[in-house]
Amino acid sequence: MSGSSNFRPPAEDAWVHTYQTLLPQWQSLSHSRQSIIPISISRVNQFDAGRLDIEMSAMLKEQLVKVFSLMKPGMLFQYEAELDAFLEFLIWRFSIWVDKPTPGIALMNLRYRNERALEARGKVRTGLEGPGLTVAQKLWYCVATVGGQYIWARLQSFSAFRRWGDSEQRSVARGAWILIQRIEGLYKAASFGNLLLFLYTGRYRNLIERALKARLVYGSPNMNRAVSFEYMNRQLVWNEFSEMLLLLLPLLNSSSMKNLLRPFSKDKSSSSKEDDFACPICQASPTVPFLALPCQHRYCYYCLRTRCAAVPAFRCSRCNEPIIAIQRHVNEPKQ
């Protein structure tokens, strides 16, 4: 009885005091045992995001040019740099400025992360954590991408128009041209070095992102690729097919192909007399008829002249005989 009478129960807030005392130790222990999960951002996705942004800007530019299609031809050509800067500013205003990714970056499930804030905090557990860009980083991004590209494009066009690179120009203009060329060379060399670092580390696609410490990371942990490989395969096949056609078509002679396919033609009811009067190239009655020598077949002057100028060894489309000279046809048939 004496032992139980000496036992005193703890105070009501004793557990709170004990919890506050042990909490820092528990947090330090849990952080020390927490493993860092390294996540590498796909380099292909980052390159694809940039390419998609370029395609999106080109599509917007094409639609905007169609609006002014009925105006004076060539009017937009002198304002092409301003038009490109305006479109780039619109993309920046409605994407990066409002903490949203650009269309290409969004399709690749990426976003910009401020690496300077992470360096102050320390390491993160995964590659998805971290704050977005600050207001200063967004403004500098706009100045570099929109303003920098516009000023450089205008400077190059102005120097080329004024012919600063000619040796006959003054020493000041010549020196400015040499300075522009050296700056461009240094920028290209730095961009190439940055590309090598990007391929090795997977961080910062260009010099602007490296200077601003704006890194592309995944925006969502679970998301499928937005651009399917089926669509990409169709694009690759079509591009290769179109390039093959562009390579083969200039090598094919239209007249020889017509002569080759003429026996298989279904239209055999036309009169041979009408065929002799029609130009074998445009299949119309010659306005200014000329004869091909020595075969003396009738042609339009412009059709025959352009073919002979384009192909020195041009052969007659009717008899496949080499044309040596052309002569104006005097005795035209009466209608």
Side-chain angles (χ1 to χ4, degrees), residues 291-297 314 316 319 321-327:
L291 297 178
L293 301 179
C295 62
Q296 296 187 355
H297 285 128
F314 179 68
C316 179
C319 60
E321 186 176 353
I323 297 177
I324 301 176
I326 63 176
Q327 180 182 358

Side-chain angles (χ1 to χ4, degrees), residues 210-247:
R210 186 172 296 277
L212 297 177
K213 293 290 183 179
R215 184 188 176 189
L216 285 175
V217 297
Y218 291 123
S220 175
N222 299 315
M223 185 175 179
N224 296 327
R225 186 184 180 96
V227 181
S228 64
F229 288 101
E230 181 181 0
Y231 170 76
M232 297 175 64
N233 291 335
R234 287 203 306 267
Q235 288 295 109
L236 290 175
V237 171
W238 173 249
N239 288 337
E240 293 298 328
F241 181 70
S242 60
E243 290 180 1
M244 183 184 67
L245 289 180
L246 291 176
L247 177 64

Side-chain angles (χ1 to χ4, degrees), residues 261-302:
L261 300 176
R262 182 170 296 175
F264 305 98
S265 176
K266 296 182 180 179
D267 187 12
K268 298 182 179 180
S269 61
S270 59
S271 175
S272 60
K273 186 177 181 180
E274 294 179 357
D275 292 341
D276 292 339
F277 289 156
C279 175
I281 297 177
C282 64
Q283 300 298 327
S285 179
T287 306
V288 183
F290 264 71
L291 297 178
L293 301 179
C295 62
Q296 296 187 355
H297 285 128
R298 287 162 50 92
Y299 286 85
C300 294
Y301 171 74
Y302 297 104

Side-chain angles (χ1 to χ4, degrees), residues 166-181:
D166 294 348
S167 58
E168 300 177 357
Q169 293 290 336
R170 295 176 299 177
S171 59
V172 178
R174 182 66 179 174
W177 174 261
I178 296 175
L179 180 61
I180 292 174
Q181 296 300 316

Side-chain angles (χ1 to χ4, degrees), residues 6-26:
N6 294 331
F7 178 75
R8 295 181 180 180
E12 295 182 357
D13 58 345
W15 69 273
V16 178
H17 178 70
T18 305
Y19 172 77
Q20 294 177 353
T21 304
L22 297 178
L23 182 60
Q25 300 177 7
W26 171 256

